């Protein structure tokens, strides 16, 4: 059945001597040698009664002869049989009994030793009937092959216009060939097939490795005999590999017509991927431009700009981390480096989408910058992405366009000191830099603490509570007496402080940071 519902009859199998002996007037022949080689392809029938037989025959032909010029010397018989075998002849059929009552014993013995078919045909079976039937069979098959090739070309071309994915193209080809068809990516990942992934036979790791070395669009059978081979056909764009098309050969080897159909489908798939990449590149450029405007502080919150931001998936009221992945690639990137960066971006995009996040990504040289909501674990993302060579930097929480630009500055400060495989968090490292005397870190640290403490009476109460806690070494009873409040009131204030600061006050590191912060704030205010 074809893709458009019309009847798609399979052409007959390739004609060989065994088939011809069943379906043509050769059925009257008797095989006297080479019976194990009757599967030789039969491409034509040729009648020759000439002393120089070898010069008049071609590979794949069946020679019909009356035996008038057949040699009668054993050495000459051997020489003739060996020469015909070297020519690649399908076999020799002798009309008997007229000039010869049968093949000479030497001829039969030599042919049998070389697995070369010899047939004896009754003299009353005309050669013309044999040639007419065999040639008609061959011409009919050729006509069916041409008709099927036209249908394959038409249906695959239609699939190129209607396919929404590689899976659609695989389904179209599968219906035409009645075989399972699938596509894999450069790293062996599933890209689509004629059926669901878990119901299909997949190429082995050895097949996937061998497919990497296919350098042209020509299809090639891979795998070991008996284990189920698969036809692999590279899908190439601008001479660069993009995917591999696979056809299951478990039931039977792929024929020449099917091979050509696979190569045409690979070409159509390359056009489909090129179109999809062009659309994706356009969408990506728009996405890059938007994210770049945020990271570079160029975003203007006009109604139109906010509408575009909403379409991109960015919420100006939500909290984000600016993240940067530093690839282990020298700058400027080589062609291979650009391809690796493209694969990295694809992995990152897919991971963000599986987490329900918009792919707010920007790419520059050997860096991937992206925005992640603060309710998503960056540690989890890095566990999925880390390859041991790249590194990741994470900014403090950023809320709003101005803060996003500041977050970009955070990761820019971290990138120069990143080591392969490392994940560094600006917030976690900020206090260390304060202790090292970094003035910019001190400003950012105090700004974060001060913003959390609030304004007015709320700020004054928070500063008094933190100062008393710091002076008492975070002893609650002593702090409550110093503030002249009930300990329950103190616990309520601590809960509010922990919420505002995002820090647990029973943590030793948090207490140290707050003790230093109160000292620095008091010093600046004094």
């Amino acid at each position: 059945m074809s893709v458009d519902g019309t009847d798609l009859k399979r052409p007959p199998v390739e004609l060989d001597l065994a088939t011809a002996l069943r379906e043509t007037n050769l059925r009257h022949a008797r095989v006297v040698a080479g019976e194990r080689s009757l599967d030789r392809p039969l491409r034509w029938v040729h009648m020759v009664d000439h002393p120089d037989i070898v010069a008049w025959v071609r590979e794949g032909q069946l020679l019909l002869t009356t035996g008038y010029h057949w040699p009668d010397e054993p050495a000459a018989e051997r020489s003739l049989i060996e020469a015909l075998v070297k020519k690649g002849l399908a076999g020799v059929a002798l009309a008997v009994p007229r000039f010869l009552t049968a093949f000479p014993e030497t001829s039969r013995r030599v042919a049998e030793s070389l697995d070369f078919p010899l047939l004896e045909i009754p003299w009353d079976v005309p050669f013309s009937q044999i040639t007419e039937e065999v040639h008609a069979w061959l011409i009919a098959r050729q006509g069916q092959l041409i008709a099927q090739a036209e249908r394959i070309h038409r249906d695959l071309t239609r699939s190129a216009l209607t396919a929404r994915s590689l899976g659609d193209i695989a389904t179209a080809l599968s219906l035409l060939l009645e075989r399972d068809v699938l596509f894999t990516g450069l790293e062996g990942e599933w890209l689509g097939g004629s059926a669901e992934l878990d119901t299909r036979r997949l190429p082995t790791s050895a097949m996937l490795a061998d497919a990497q070395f296919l350098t042209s669009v020509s299809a090639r059978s891979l795998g070991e005999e008996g284990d189920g081979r698969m036809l692999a056909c590279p899908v190439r764009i601008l001479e660069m590999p993009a995917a591999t098309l696979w056809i299951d050969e478990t039931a039977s080897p792929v024929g020449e017509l099917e091979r050509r159909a696979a190569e045409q489908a690979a070409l159509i798939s390359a056009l489909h991927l090129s179109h999809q990449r062009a659309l994706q590149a356009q969408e990506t450029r728009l996405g890059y431009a938007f994210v770049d405007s945020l990271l570079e502080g160029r975003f203007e919150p006009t109604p139109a700009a906010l509408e575009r931001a909403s379409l991109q998936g960015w919420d100006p009221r939500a909290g984000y981390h600016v993240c940067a992945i530093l690839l282990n690639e020298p700058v400027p990137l080589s062609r291979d480096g650009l391809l690796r960066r493209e694969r990295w971006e694809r992995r990152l995009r897919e991971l963000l989408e599986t987490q329900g996040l918009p792919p707010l990504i920007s790419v520059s040289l050997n860096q991937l910058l992206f925005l992640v909501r603060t309710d998503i674990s960056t540690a989890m993302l890095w566990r999925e992405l880390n390859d041991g060579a790249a590194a990741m930097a994470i900014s403090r929480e950023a809320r709003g366009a101005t803060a996003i630009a500041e977050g970009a500055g955070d990761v820019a400060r971290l990138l120069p000191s990143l080591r392969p495989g490392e994940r560094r968090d600006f917030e976690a490292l900020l206090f260390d830099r304060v202790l090292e005397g970094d003035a910019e870190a001190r400003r950012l640290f105090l700004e974060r603490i001060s913003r959390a403490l609030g304004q007015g009476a709320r700020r004054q109460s928070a500063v008094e509570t933190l100062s008393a806690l710091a002076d008492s070494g975070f002893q609650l009873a002593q702090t409550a007496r110093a503030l002249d409040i009930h300990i329950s009131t103190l616990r309520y204030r601590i809960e509010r402080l922990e919420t505002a600061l995002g820090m647990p006050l029973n943590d030793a590191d948090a207490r140290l940071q707050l003790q230093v912060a109160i000292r620095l704030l008091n010093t600046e205010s004094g």
Side-chain angles (χ1 to χ4, degrees):
M1 185 66 67
S2 72
V3 172
D4 61 4
T6 59
D7 200 22
L8 186 60
K9 183 180 179 182
R10 280 184 175 274
V13 295
E14 187 174 33
L15 186 62
D16 54 21
L17 273 178
T19 305
L21 286 165
R22 290 194 309 271
E23 300 188 11
T24 73
N25 256 3
L26 279 175
R27 69 177 62 89
H28 301 293
R30 184 169 68 95
V31 181
V32 297
E35 191 168 7
R36 292 176 298 181
S37 296
L38 295 180
D39 58 350
R40 294 180 180 220
L42 178 55
R43 298 191 174 94
W44 204 246
V45 178
H46 193 30
M47 294 178 288
V48 178
D49 269 318
H50 190 279
D52 188 12
I53 294 175
V54 177
W56 293 86
V57 294
R58 297 288 183 272
E59 181 182 356
Q61 292 181 348
L62 173 66
L63 169 64
L64 300 181
T65 179
T66 63
Y68 184 77
H69 292 287
W70 195 261
D72 54 6
E73 294 284 338
E77 291 179 58
R78 173 178 290 278
S79 178
L80 176 59
I81 296 293
E82 290 176 347
L84 294 177
V85 170
K86 188 174 181 180
K87 273 278 190 173
L89 228 64
V92 178
L94 171 69
V96 295
R98 181 65 181 269
F99 301 110
L100 292 174
T101 58
F103 274 109
E105 177 62 28
T106 299
S107 296
R108 291 199 305 270
R109 188 173 61 252
V110 172
E112 185 66 28
S113 68
L114 297 174
D115 282 334
F116 181 65
L118 297 182
L119 317 178
E120 292 178 352
I121 307 170
W123 181 266
D124 58 357
V125 178
F127 281 177
S128 60
Q129 286 186 4
I130 295 172
T131 57
E132 181 180 354
E133 288 192 17
V134 171
H135 292 170
W137 200 102
L138 291 170
I139 291 170
R141 180 179 186 274
Q142 190 63 29
Q144 287 180 309
L145 287 173
I146 292 171
Q148 191 189 32
E150 290 177 351
R151 284 193 289 271
I152 287 174
H153 175 77
R154 182 190 65 231
D155 290 345
L156 285 179
T157 301
R158 183 183 296 117
S159 76
L161 299 174
T162 60
R164 294 169 296 178
S165 67
L166 291 179
D168 291 342
I169 297 174
T171 299
L173 184 60
S174 176
L175 290 171
L176 287 165
L177 304 185
E178 298 181 14
R179 295 177 183 267
D180 290 337
V181 180
L182 61 96
F183 288 90
T184 59
L186 297 181
E187 298 177 0
E189 69 275 19
W190 169 270
L191 298 181
S194 55
E196 295 299 324
L197 173 60
D198 56 359
T199 65
R200 297 297 93 190
R201 177 174 171 267
L202 301 177
T204 64
S205 56
M207 292 179 190
L208 291 169
D210 289 343
Q212 301 296 317
F213 297 99
L214 298 178
T215 57
S216 68
V217 293
S218 299
R220 177 181 165 193
S221 291
L222 300 177
E224 298 296 328
E225 294 287 353
D227 293 336
R229 293 167 66 83
M230 298 188 77
L231 186 80
C233 188
V235 178
R236 302 175 70 84
I237 300 175
L238 297 177
E239 301 304 317
M240 296 299 295
T244 305
L245 181 153
W246 298 88
I247 298 179
D248 192 354
E249 293 187 284
T250 301
S252 62
V254 166
E256 181 60 29
L257 181 63
E258 294 173 307
R259 186 180 298 267
R260 292 179 183 177
E263 292 169 357
Q264 184 181 356
L267 177 60
I268 289 171
S269 302
L271 295 173
H272 174 80
L273 286 175
S274 295
H275 177 64
Q276 294 297 319
R277 286 185 177 185
L279 291 177
Q280 185 178 6
Q282 184 176 9
E283 293 175 358
T284 300
R285 283 194 295 271
L286 292 173
Y288 285 175
F290 167 70
V291 175
D292 286 343
S293 71
L294 286 173
L295 298 175
E296 296 168 8
R298 295 183 286 102
F299 181 79
E300 295 291 337
T302 63
L306 290 171
E307 182 178 352
R308 286 195 298 272
S310 178
L311 292 174
Q312 294 288 336
W314 180 65
D315 182 356
R317 297 163 299 181
Y320 291 88
H321 288 299
V322 179
C323 301
I325 293 176
L326 180 65
L327 304 181
N328 190 22
E329 298 285 347
V331 177
L333 269 64
S334 64
R335 185 178 183 85
D336 287 342
L338 288 169
L339 290 174
R340 285 191 290 270
R341 187 184 72 181
E342 182 181 332
R343 289 198 290 271
W344 253 99
E345 183 189 0
R346 185 166 60 248
R347 285 181 60 207
L348 174 61
R349 185 178 298 273
E350 291 172 354
L351 179 59
L352 292 176
E353 288 174 349
T354 58
Q355 298 297 319
L357 299 174
L360 298 171
I361 302 172
S362 177
V363 175
S364 176
L365 300 176
N366 61 349
Q367 299 174 21
L368 303 174
L369 290 96
F370 58 102
L371 306 182
V372 178
R373 289 200 316 265
T374 51
D375 60 336
I376 300 296
S377 168
T378 55
M380 177 274 296
L381 293 178
W382 188 233
R383 280 195 301 273
E384 296 292 329
L385 293 169
N386 187 6
D387 64 353
M392 183 176 181
I394 302 124
S395 77
R396 58 190 140 154
E397 180 178 348
R399 197 178 297 270
T402 302
I404 293 289
E406 293 173 353
D410 293 348
V411 295
R413 295 185 187 94
L414 292 174
L415 287 176
S417 61
L418 284 178
R419 295 189 297 272
E422 185 179 24
R423 170 183 165 272
R424 304 189 76 183
D425 189 319
F426 186 85
E427 290 277 9
L429 296 173
L430 185 61
F431 186 62
D432 291 343
R433 292 170 57 195
V434 171
L435 297 180
E436 292 170 0
D438 187 324
E440 176 64 11
R442 171 175 169 168
R443 183 187 68 79
L444 293 172
F445 174 68
L446 292 180
E447 182 181 285
R448 187 191 72 183
I449 298 295
S450 183
R451 186 168 55 244
L453 296 178
Q455 300 294 327
R458 177 185 172 187
R459 177 185 179 85
Q460 182 178 354
S461 173
V463 170
E464 287 178 353
T465 303
L466 277 178
S467 297
L469 284 167
D471 290 341
S472 68
F474 289 85
Q475 298 294 320
L476 299 192
Q478 187 176 338
T479 301
R481 286 195 296 271
L483 292 172
D484 196 21
I485 59 176
H486 194 276
I487 195 168
S488 297
T489 304
L490 176 60
R491 289 195 176 99
Y492 171 70
R493 289 188 184 184
I494 289 174
E495 288 179 4
R496 289 176 55 187
L497 282 170
E498 288 179 330
T499 301
L501 293 165
M503 303 167 69
L505 268 62
N506 61 353
D507 180 77
D509 289 338
R511 289 178 175 182
L512 176 60
Q513 289 190 38
L514 292 173
Q515 285 174 319
V516 171
I518 287 297
R519 292 286 182 89
L520 293 175
L521 286 172
N522 289 336
T523 300
E524 288 190 355
S525 63

